């Protein structure tokens, strides 16, 4: 793959190169501002390659050729403590650009994976798994309208060696060559082998690799700039929309979400409820103080029709927790700022770190519920969201986050009773809005969306629990008991 790179660069004298760069800079700047003004397309440029191939210089050149005020440059080295306590891709989500802006990623997700494989910190199957995770990430970016460009700058071993020696001979540039560079030179053959495997597995239509011969840095920079310009022009012409993937298959009936079985008849009374609540809250508190939980975290998502009791259930959970160790995230419609990013971006910001609890009063499932039913998301967007949600939850759970999801199932009659009660009681009036009454009128439209959601996102790592919620006391106890059972199972 890398052997043919030398044939891809057309020789160019210095004068021609200077004229070509001058034209390219003007065109790039025009295209950058057109993309910014259009405000529709985020641009992600990933720079990777062999040590000594000029990756850092290329990053600086691109910032010089374009307006750096609208470019976010992120360089990634070893993970810090905050990054180690979150899923693998978390830190890369933080570097994504908003629509219209550009992100230059230096030493990004491929460099980390390749380095880990080269130095045998991960085995091949783990390497492939990481590449698959990256592919899903890049596909999601493309489906959100992003331009994703990946560049690998290559030098053969002899040229790399000669370049390092030349830098070392000059006192003014000797500092540029480090012990890490020489270690990379000794591993040149293995790095190329692993990189070729990564590039073959991740070279896709929506996120293509561009292999660049870096033996002449001036011409390499020109080649990279031309690729970026072509991609920006294509985006401005609206040529980067891909078809949505097929919906994931429905799970078989035996794998459907478990539903709580409440005894019919008289609702549970407060006398029986309170001691059982106290017992379960104590059990939950002790489980979250278990030494094993210090290396795990808990994310609990609550969904349900309006007035199903989500807020009440959350409050009974938080009463059992140390206020320093949890956070409640009330999820509403995305803000204007949040709409500038991929739709899952705002939830990636709320990943709980080790030893912490995150409670979501509504969640990422809004994409396949309210956004689907109300028409806020087009069918290709909400239909692909099932696959993206499953991948999202899988990444969280693989890191060690215990993902619990509850659908609180309330009947239409009980919802009406609670709406009327909220309207009568002064301290509950804030809970009822005209929007709630409007949503009630669309009850029949929500039912198939709920059924699809439960069927397509009930997974082994992140299963749904359907809780019959007409009896709020029993529902709260059911939720607490399910949380405790899940924690005990995970912490064993």
């Amino acid at each position: 793959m890398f052997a043919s790179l030398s044939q891809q660069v057309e020789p160019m004298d210095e004068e021609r190169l200077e004229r070509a760069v001058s034209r390219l800079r003007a065109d790039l700047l025009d295209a950058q501002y057109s993309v910014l003004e259009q405000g529709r397309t985020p641009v992600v440029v990933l720079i990777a390659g062999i040590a000594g191939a000029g990756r850092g210089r290329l990053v600086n050149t691109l910032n010089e050729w374009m307006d750096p005020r609208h470019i976010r440059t992120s360089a990634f080295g070893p993970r810090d403590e905050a990054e180690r306590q979150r899923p693998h891709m978390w830190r890369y989500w933080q570097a994504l650009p908003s629509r219209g802006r550009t992100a230059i990623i230096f030493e990004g997700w491929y460099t980390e994976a390749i380095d880990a494989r080269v130095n045998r910190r991960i085995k091949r199957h783990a390497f492939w798994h990481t590449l698959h995770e990256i592919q899903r990430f890049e596909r999601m970016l493309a489906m959100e309208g992003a331009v994703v460009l990946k560049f690998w700058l290559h030098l053969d071993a002899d040229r790399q060696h000669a370049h390092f020696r030349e830098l070392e001979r000059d006192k003014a540039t000797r500092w540029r060559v480090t012990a890490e560079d020489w270690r990379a030179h000794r591993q040149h053959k293995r790095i190329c082998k692993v990189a070729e495997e990564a590039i073959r597995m991740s070279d896709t239509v929506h996120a293509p690799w561009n292999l660049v011969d870096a033996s002449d840095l001036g011409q390499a920079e020109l080649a990279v700039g031309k690729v970026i310009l072509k991609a920006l022009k294509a985006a401005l012409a609206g040529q980067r929309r891909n078809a949505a993937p097929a919906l994931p298959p429905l799970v078989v009936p035996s794998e459907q979400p478990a539903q709580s079985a409440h005894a019919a008849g008289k609702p549970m009374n407060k006398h029986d409820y309170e001691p059982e609540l106290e017992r379960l809250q104590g059990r939950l508190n002790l489980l979250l103080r278990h030494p094993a939980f210090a290396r795990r975290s808990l994310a609990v998502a609550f969904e349900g029709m309006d007035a199903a009791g989500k807020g009440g259930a959350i409050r009974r959970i938080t009463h059992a927790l140390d206020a320093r160790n949890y956070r409640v995230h009330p999820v509403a419609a995305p803000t204007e700022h949040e709409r500038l990013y991929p739709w899952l971006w705002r939830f990636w910001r709320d990943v709980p770190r080790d030893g912490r609890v995150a409670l979501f009063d509504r969640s990422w499932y809004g994409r396949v519920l309210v956004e689907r039913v109300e028409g806020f998301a087009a069918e290709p967007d909400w239909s692909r969201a099932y696959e993206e949600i499953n991948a999202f939850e899988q990444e969280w759970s693989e890191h060690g986050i215990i993902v619990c999801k509850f659908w609180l199932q309330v009947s239409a009659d009980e919802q009406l009773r609670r709406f009327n009660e909220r309207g009568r009681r002064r301290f509950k009036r804030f809970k009822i809005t005209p929007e709630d009454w409007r949503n009630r009128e669309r009850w029949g439209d929500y039912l198939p969306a709920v059924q699809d959601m439960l069927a397509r996102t009930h997974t082994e790592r992140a299963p749904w629990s359907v809780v019959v919620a007409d009896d709020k006391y029993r529902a709260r106890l059911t939720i607490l008991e399910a949380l405790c059972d899940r924690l005990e199972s995970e912490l064993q």
Side-chain angles (χ1 to χ4, degrees):
M1 181 182 293
F2 297 135
S4 62
L5 281 176
S6 58
Q7 303 171 9
Q8 297 180 9
V9 178
E10 179 187 353
M12 188 179 296
D13 60 44
E14 188 173 337
E15 185 177 342
R16 284 181 60 206
L17 180 62
E18 187 175 338
R19 289 199 302 268
V21 167
S22 180
R23 290 193 299 270
L24 177 63
R25 291 181 65 168
D27 291 342
L28 266 177
L29 200 58
D30 286 345
Q32 180 192 11
Y33 268 95
S34 294
V35 168
L36 183 65
E37 290 165 5
Q38 193 180 73
R40 191 173 61 197
T41 306
V43 181
V44 179
V45 180
L46 186 138
I47 308 296
I50 293 291
R55 296 164 297 170
R57 171 176 152 172
L58 174 60
V59 169
N60 292 335
T61 296
L62 293 176
N63 274 286
E64 180 182 347
W65 287 357
M66 296 188 284
D67 189 338
R69 293 174 298 176
H70 307 299
I71 296 175
R72 178 176 181 178
T73 300
S74 300
F76 295 95
R79 291 175 177 262
D80 60 26
E81 184 63 22
E83 292 167 341
R84 286 194 295 272
Q85 292 191 24
R86 276 142 173 128
H88 173 71
M89 295 301 292
W90 176 79
R91 65 174 181 168
Y92 302 121
W93 275 87
Q94 313 311 306
L96 294 181
S98 58
R99 297 184 186 276
R101 297 175 67 88
T102 300
I104 297 178
I105 309 296
F106 179 46
E107 300 286 350
W109 40 90
Y110 287 101
T111 300
E112 182 180 32
I114 290 170
D115 182 70
R117 179 66 182 135
V118 165
N119 291 290
R120 295 179 170 83
R121 293 194 299 273
I122 59 174
K123 294 186 177 181
R124 197 175 196 186
H125 68 87
F127 180 55
W128 286 355
H129 180 76
T130 300
L131 293 177
H132 180 63
E133 190 177 74
I134 290 170
Q135 279 184 292
R136 292 188 308 202
F137 174 64
E138 292 175 345
R139 179 173 179 81
M140 180 279 306
L141 291 177
M143 295 302 298
E144 289 287 310
V147 172
V148 183
L149 297 170
K150 303 179 297 194
F151 296 94
W152 181 272
L153 275 61
H154 185 71
L155 279 178
D156 63 36
D158 291 340
R159 286 175 175 169
Q160 185 188 52
H161 183 273
H163 177 61
F164 289 164
R165 286 300 186 200
E166 182 182 358
L167 291 173
E168 284 190 330
R169 281 194 292 270
D170 188 337
K171 291 182 179 180
T173 58
R174 189 174 298 164
W175 61 273
R176 293 181 180 274
V177 184
T178 66
E180 181 66 21
D181 290 329
W182 282 116
R183 186 175 71 84
H185 174 67
R186 291 191 295 272
Q187 295 178 314
H188 187 280
K189 184 176 180 179
R190 178 164 173 78
I191 290 172
C192 289
K193 180 181 178 181
V194 174
E196 284 188 15
E197 185 175 22
I199 290 169
R200 278 196 302 269
M201 292 181 66
S202 59
D203 185 38
T204 60
V205 173
H206 54 269
W209 274 104
N210 297 274
L211 307 183
V212 181
D213 183 351
S215 56
D216 184 323
L217 284 178
Q219 294 193 54
E221 290 169 350
L222 181 65
V224 170
K226 286 181 176 179
V227 172
I228 295 174
L229 177 62
K230 182 179 179 181
L232 294 183
K233 287 182 175 179
L236 289 168
Q239 298 174 11
R240 293 194 60 85
R241 189 63 174 172
N242 296 299
L247 292 174
L250 293 171
V251 293
V252 298
S254 62
E255 296 173 341
Q256 291 290 330
Q259 179 170 313
S260 63
H262 288 180
K266 189 176 179 181
M268 188 177 198
N269 61 56
K270 198 169 186 178
H271 176 75
D272 294 330
Y273 163 71
E274 288 186 338
E276 186 65 9
L277 174 66
E278 181 72 21
R279 182 186 70 81
L280 288 170
Q281 286 176 330
R283 182 182 168 197
L284 178 61
N285 182 277
L286 291 175
L287 284 166
L288 294 176
R289 289 158 54 189
H290 191 288
F293 188 71
R295 301 184 299 276
R296 305 291 297 274
S297 53
L298 175 66
V300 189
F302 288 90
E303 292 288 351
M305 297 293 193
D306 296 323
K310 299 180 291 295
I314 289 171
R315 284 193 294 277
R316 273 63 191 183
I317 293 171
T318 58
H319 288 172
L321 309 183
D322 185 331
R324 296 168 295 184
N325 295 334
Y326 74 84
R327 185 173 177 185
V328 177
H329 302 280
V331 177
T335 65
E336 287 298 322
H337 176 71
E338 290 167 341
R339 277 194 279 266
L340 295 174
Y341 292 86
W343 73 276
L344 278 170
W345 174 81
R346 61 176 176 151
F347 302 109
W348 271 98
R349 292 182 301 168
D350 298 328
V351 179
R353 64 184 180 89
D354 292 351
R356 299 293 191 268
V357 178
L359 301 159
F360 295 88
D361 186 348
R362 299 201 184 277
S363 66
W364 39 94
Y365 284 97
R367 173 56 63 106
V368 296
L369 291 175
V370 64
E371 293 185 35
R372 167 183 170 173
V373 173
E374 302 296 340
F376 298 146
E379 184 172 353
D381 293 325
W382 62 255
S383 64
R384 66 181 167 85
Y386 299 108
E387 179 185 32
E388 293 173 355
I389 287 170
N390 288 339
F392 165 72
E393 292 174 347
Q394 180 179 331
E395 288 183 57
W396 281 33
S397 62
E398 285 178 350
H399 174 72
I401 300 173
I402 302 165
V403 181
C404 297
K405 305 180 302 193
F406 293 98
W407 173 261
L408 275 61
Q409 186 165 293
V410 66
S411 67
D413 289 344
E414 177 62 17
Q415 184 193 59
L416 178 60
R417 189 193 69 76
R418 292 180 185 181
F419 276 11
N420 289 331
E421 181 185 25
R422 288 177 176 185
R424 289 192 302 268
R425 296 196 178 190
R426 183 178 177 185
F427 69 92
K428 287 190 175 183
R429 285 180 182 173
F430 74 95
K431 291 185 173 184
I432 187 73
T433 68
E435 186 73 11
D436 295 327
W437 287 105
R438 196 187 69 81
N439 290 341
R440 178 176 165 79
E441 293 175 2
R442 303 204 62 178
W443 184 283
D445 296 326
Y446 274 94
L447 289 181
V450 172
Q451 292 165 357
D452 278 350
M453 176 194 75
L454 295 175
R456 297 183 188 278
T457 61
H458 177 68
T459 63
E460 183 179 358
R461 288 181 177 271
W464 277 103
S465 295
V466 178
V467 179
V468 177
D470 278 10
D471 184 336
K472 63 181 181 180
Y473 287 163
R474 292 187 188 277
R476 293 167 186 171
L477 298 180
T478 298
I479 290 167
L480 281 165
E481 187 163 23
L483 276 179
C484 292
D485 289 346
R486 180 73 185 281
L487 283 166
E488 284 181 348
S489 173
E490 292 282 348
L491 298 179
Q492 284 178 355

